[in-house]
C-alpha cells in the first residue's frame, strides 16, 4: 500500500491539476489555507501599504517611486509603518477567505459539470469555468470585504493630509459611522462590485487558460501517458498565476486608484463622496496619468500575489483532495 501511495503521489495526470471540490476535506482545506494565506499576506502587505499611500491625495508620495516611498515609511514610521492595518486584515480576512474559497470551488465545479458536454477546446472550457467562478465568488465576498477594506486602508494612510486620524480599527468604525452612518462602511461598494467581479473573472479566466496552454505546449494531455511531476505542476501554476496577476494589474489599476481614494479621502467638499467627484479631482491633479498612481507596487503585488496565492491554493487543494481520496480508499479496503 505504501508503494502504491508513493507512486500515486509522485506523478499526477493533467486532470488532477484541476481540483474536484467533492474530494476535498473542507476543514483541513480551510485550516491549512488560513495559515498559509496569512503568511503570504504578511510577505506582501508592504506593497499594499506603499501602493495605497501613493494613491492618496496630499500624501507627497504620488510623484515618488515605490522604493523611495517604502524607504520613507521605514525611516519615519519604522517596521510598524509598513505593517499598518496588517493585524486587522489578517484576522478579519479569515472568515472572508472561507466564504470566498467555498463559493469559488462550488461555482467552478458546477460550471465544469455544466459545460462538460459542450463542444469547445478544453482550455476554453476551463477558462470560462474559472472566469465565471471567480466573478461569482468575488461578488459574494464583496459584501464582507468592502467594510474590511475601508478599515484597513484608513489605517494604512493614518495621519496623511485629507484623511481622518483614527487610532485603531474600532476607532475607524466609530468615526465613519458617526460621520456617514453605516453606509459609510460601504464606500466604494458599487464600484467594487461592478468592477472587481469582472476583474476577478479576468484573473481566474487568464489563469485557467494560461495553465492549460502551457501544459499543452509542454506536451501534456489527459489522453497521453506522460504525467507531470509535482515540481512541474507547481512551476506551471506559478507561471500562470504570475501572468494572470500581471495582466489584471494593468487593466484594474485605474479603477483601484479611484476606489482607494473614494474609501479613505474625507476632504471631498459638499455632499457625499462619489466616483464622479473622485475622478474629476484625480484628473485635475495629475491628468489621466493620475489613474496609474501606485502602479509599480500594485503590479509587483499582484504578480507576486498571483504566483504565491495560486501555488498555495493548488497545493492545499491537491494535498487535501488526495489525502481524502486515500483515506476513502483505505476505508473501502478495510
Amino acid at each position: 500500500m505504501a508503494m502504491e501511495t508513493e507512486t500515486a503521489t509522485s506523478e499526477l495526470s493533467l486532470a488532477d491539476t484541476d481540483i474536484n471540490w467533492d474530494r476535498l476535506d473542507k476543514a483541513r482545506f480551510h485550516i491549512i489555507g488560513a495559515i498559509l494565506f496569512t503568511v503570504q499576506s504578511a510577505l506582501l502587505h508592504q506593497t499594499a501599504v506603499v501602493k495605497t499611500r501613493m494613491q492618496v491625495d496630499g500624501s507627497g508620495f504620488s510623484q515618488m517611486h515605490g522604493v523611495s516611498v517604502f524607504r520613507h515609511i521605514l525611516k519615519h514610521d519604522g517596521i510598524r509603518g509598513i505593517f499598518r492595518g496588517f493585524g486587522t486584515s489578517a484576522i478579519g480576512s479569515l472568515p472572508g477567505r472561507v466564504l470566498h474559497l467555498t463559493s469559488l470551488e462550488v461555482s467552478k465545479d458546477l460550471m465544469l459539470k455544466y459545460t462538460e458536454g459542450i463542444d469547445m477546446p478544453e482550455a476554453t472550457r476551463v477558462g470560462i469555468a474559472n472566469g465565471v467562478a471567480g466573478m461569482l465568488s468575488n461578488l459574494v465576498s464583496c459584501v464582507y470585504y468592502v467594510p474590511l477594506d475601508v478599515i484597513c486602508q484608513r489605517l494604512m494612510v493614518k495621519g496623511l493630509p485629507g484623511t481622518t486620524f483614527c487610532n485603531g480599527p474600532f476607532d475607524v468604525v466609530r468615526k465613519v459611522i458617526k460621520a456617514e452612518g453605516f453606509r459609510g462602511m460601504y464606500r466604494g461598494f458599487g464600484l467594487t462590485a461592478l468592477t472587481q467581479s469582472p476583474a476577478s473573472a479576468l484573473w481566474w479566466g487568464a489563469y485557467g487558460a494560461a495553465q492549460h496552454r502551457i501544459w499543452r505546449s509542454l506536451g501534456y494531455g489527459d489522453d497521453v501517458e506522460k504525467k507531470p511531476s509535482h515540481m512541474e505542476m507547481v512551476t506551471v501554476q506559478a507561471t500562470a498565476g504570475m501572468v494572470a496577476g500581471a495582466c489584471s494589474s494593468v487593466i484594474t489599476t485605474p479603477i483601484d486608484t479611484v476606489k482607494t481614494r473614494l474609501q479613505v479621502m474625507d476632504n471631498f467638499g459638499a455632499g457625499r463622496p462619489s466616483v464622479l467627484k473622485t475622478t474629476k479631482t484625480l484628473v485635475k491633479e495629475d491628468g489621466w496619468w493620475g489613474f496609474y498612481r501606485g502602479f509599480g507596487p500594485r503590479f509587483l503585488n499582484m504578480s507576486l500575489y498571483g504566483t504565491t496565492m495560486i501555488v498555495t491554493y493548488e497545493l492545499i487543494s491537491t494535498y487535501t483532495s488526495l489525502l481524502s481520496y486515500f483515506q476513502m480508499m483505505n476505508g473501502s479496503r478495510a
Side-chain angles (χ1 to χ4, degrees), residues 27-62:
R28 186 180 286 112
F29 178 87
H30 290 306
I31 292 173
I32 298 175
I35 297 172
L36 293 182
F37 281 124
T38 300
V39 172
Q40 176 216 38
S41 298
L43 296 175
L44 298 178
H45 187 76
Q46 303 94 312
T47 59
V49 174
V50 172
K51 183 270 302 181
T52 301
R53 290 200 165 202
M54 290 178 69
Q55 291 175 332
V56 173
D57 175 42
S59 65
F61 298 136
S62 61

Side-chain angles (χ1 to χ4, degrees), residues 231-244:
M231 183 57 66
E232 288 176 310
M233 184 184 73
V234 170
T235 302
V236 170
Q237 290 168 342
T239 303
M242 182 173 63
V243 171

Side-chain angles (χ1 to χ4, degrees), residues 6-7 28-29 42-43 52 65 94 96 115 117 119 181 196 199 214 228 233 236 286 320 327:
E6 182 179 354
T7 302
R28 186 180 286 112
F29 178 87
L43 296 175
T52 301
H65 294 294
L94 293 177
T115 58
D119 184 21
Q196 290 301 100
I214 294 173
M233 184 184 73
V236 170
D286 287 339
T320 53
Q327 288 176 343

Side-chain angles (χ1 to χ4, degrees), residues 1 6 15 17 49-50 78 115-116 126 128 172 176 184 188 192 203 289 295-296 303 306 315 327-328:
M1 179 62 193
E6 182 179 354
T17 65
V49 174
V50 172
T115 58
E116 191 171 3
V126 172
I128 292 174
V172 173
V176 170
T192 302
W203 198 101
W289 285 109
F295 172 73
S303 297
L315 285 177
Q327 288 176 343
M328 181 182 66

Side-chain angles (χ1 to χ4, degrees), residues 242-253:
M242 182 173 63
V243 171
C247 292
S248 182
S249 68
V250 173
I251 296 173
T252 61
T253 293

